[in-house]
Amino acid sequence: MNQYNRLLGRIADEFHVFQGKTETEVDWKSRIIYSLLGRMGYASLWDIREDLQPVSVVHFKNRIESILESYLEMYPELRLFYPDDISELSNEIYNIFLCTGQMYHTSYRITPAIKAVSEKAGIYFLRGIPLDRKPYISGIGNYSFSEDEPAVIQPADMFQLPQTTLAEQWEYLVYHAKWYPLEVENEIEFLRTKPPFTYNYWIEKPDISGMVSLARIGLPGNKTYFLYKIEAERILGSQLPQWMVSANYYGTLSNGCLASVERLPASTYHVDGKIVQLRIHYLLPPAELNLIKLYSWPESCADLPDDFSRIFDYQVFFAIKSILEPIGYTFVEE
């Protein structure tokens, strides 16, 4: 380990990846490598092909995988921190970059996004920056504390976050619902509306309190979602359009449903020197989750996707916290 200590130390200095006060050295080093993989994957977008075409998705992922293999040969003690199939990690980084607009995708090829800057609480979130720029990095996300050009876009627009609160989105949906008796021929699942939420979010019995909630019918990958409520011992439903619930976007609705009755679990965090450990206690919708994953490290790369346990740079965490709280998310310090 000592043979290459200075190498990772220099990378940490360049990216400003700080070790937590109680964090072990191997945990810190695994985070440094994770940030390096994101940076090198991003750099591969500028590789010049003979036909002058953008690089392929395969090229991007191969760059990440080859670099990881090289570093794990230098630091074999870190191998347990990464999946046996390292393509899981390259896929994770690719998906985070793609879903947060860090690159554009077309016909199996990818290009860097155009430059965009947004600001919150003194943190400038950067997208599409040139390679000669030396940014700060939290997770695999680029940021700075000052920008030569002013922020030109709001964080909500940059990361496709909702412009209204969770409760307001839910209440608007309920207000415009068209109700009819729900005839159930197949198995139906109902959103769990009371804790504990540590197991399945869906249960077999409906909420009989009279509140409006979510239900779904169908096979995995082909679910039909409804608003539902109980009136006069009947289940009334209002079917939701597929675009509103596909690809886990029903998470916005489930979070909004719980927020409307003040039952959405708070995320908890612990400050450890210059880093923050975050525990998410209810799965976030895709846009909010992807923002968090861009600017944080997974607690463990060996078990991806790690959507509930994340590590942030201290200042970046509080900037993102201030972005998400007005939407209706709460954070409690442990």
Side-chain angles (χ1 to χ4, degrees):
M1 179 185 295
N2 293 332
Q3 182 180 0
Y4 302 105
N5 271 349
R6 291 184 180 180
L7 173 60
L8 286 185
R10 289 196 298 268
I11 295 172
D13 289 342
E14 180 178 343
F15 296 162
H16 302 90
V17 177
F18 304 107
Q19 185 176 3
K21 188 175 181 180
T22 65
E23 185 179 26
T24 66
E25 187 173 355
V26 290
D27 284 332
W28 177 50
K29 288 180 176 180
S30 70
R31 290 196 297 111
I32 297 169
I33 292 176
Y34 180 82
S35 293
L36 175 66
L37 297 177
R39 181 64 175 167
M40 292 299 98
Y42 182 72
S44 75
L45 299 178
W46 275 266
D47 289 346
I48 299 176
R49 290 165 41 91
E50 292 182 0
D51 58 4
L52 301 181
Q53 292 297 309
V55 302
S56 68
V57 175
V58 172
H59 176 82
F60 175 89
K61 293 181 179 181
N62 283 346
R63 174 67 60 84
I64 291 172
E65 293 169 16
S66 65
I67 291 174
L68 177 57
E69 285 288 8
S70 297
Y71 273 82
L72 290 181
E73 287 195 13
M74 291 188 285
Y75 302 94
E77 70 278 4
L78 299 181
R79 191 168 290 276
L80 291 176
F81 288 78
Y82 294 93
D84 294 333
D85 181 359
I86 61 175
S87 67
E88 294 180 16
L89 183 55
S90 62
N91 288 334
E92 175 80 351
I93 292 175
Y94 168 77
N95 288 330
I96 293 172
F97 274 167
L98 186 66
C99 292
T100 54
Q102 306 303 303
M103 57 191 184
Y104 303 139
H105 178 280
T106 177
S107 300
Y108 303 103
R109 301 197 178 277
I110 45 180
T111 59
I114 61 173
K115 181 179 179 181
V117 181
S118 64
E119 183 271 337
K120 189 68 175 181
I123 297 293
Y124 288 77
F125 300 97
L126 308 177
R127 172 189 293 167
I129 61 171
L131 287 182
D132 59 0
R133 177 72 184 274
K134 301 294 185 181
Y136 291 67
I137 296 179
S138 181
I140 54 175
N142 299 315
Y143 70 99
S144 70
F145 290 104
S146 63
E147 178 67 12
D148 295 335
E149 301 177 22
V152 296
I153 188 172
Q154 293 297 317
D157 295 324
M158 188 168 180
F159 298 108
Q160 299 181 327
L161 301 172
Q163 304 286 345
T164 57
T165 69
L166 291 167
E168 288 171 341
Q169 295 174 74
W170 178 257
E171 290 164 3
Y172 178 87
L173 193 63
V174 171
Y175 179 79
H176 290 278
K178 305 298 183 182
W179 299 102
Y180 56 88
L182 189 58
E183 301 295 336
V184 181
E185 297 180 356
N186 300 311
E187 291 187 4
I188 183 169
E189 297 176 298
F190 302 95
L191 184 71
R192 185 187 296 273
T193 56
K194 296 179 181 178
F197 298 106
T198 51
Y199 299 103
N200 198 336
Y201 287 177
W202 299 90
I203 57 178
E204 297 179 354
K205 296 182 180 180
D207 186 298
I208 60 174
S209 67
M211 68 175 287
V212 178
S213 184
L214 286 174
R216 65 185 188 181
I217 301 172
L219 299 174
N222 189 29
K223 300 281 189 182
T224 300
Y225 288 77
F226 300 82
L227 299 180
Y228 85 90
K229 61 182 178 179
I230 306 294
E231 283 188 2
E233 299 184 352
R234 293 192 308 169
I235 301 180
L236 302 182
S238 178
Q239 186 171 342
L240 298 169
Q242 189 63 29
W243 63 264
M244 191 178 290
V245 296
S246 62
N248 292 331
Y249 281 95
Y250 71 82
T252 298
L253 305 182
S254 60
N255 277 261
C257 175
L258 297 178
S260 70
V261 290
E262 299 182 351
R263 295 178 190 168
L264 182 63
S267 296
T268 57
Y269 66 92
H270 171 70
V271 176
D272 183 24
K274 293 185 177 182
I275 64 173
V276 173
Q277 299 167 331
L278 176 67
R279 299 288 180 270
I280 299 170
H281 297 289
Y282 196 87
L283 185 63
L284 296 173
E288 291 89 322
L289 180 60
N290 286 324
L291 169 60
I292 282 178
K293 292 174 73 170
L294 177 64
Y295 280 100
S296 66
W297 295 269
E299 188 173 82
S300 172
C301 290
D303 187 20
L304 296 172
D306 191 348
D307 294 341
F308 296 94
S309 299
R310 310 294 300 186
I311 299 173
F312 285 84
D313 173 87
Y314 177 92
Q315 295 180 85
V316 171
F317 169 75
F318 284 99
I320 289 181
K321 176 175 175 286
S322 68
I323 292 172
L324 296 179
E325 284 179 326
I327 300 175
Y329 301 102
T330 54
F331 300 84
V332 177
E333 185 172 6
E334 293 181 315

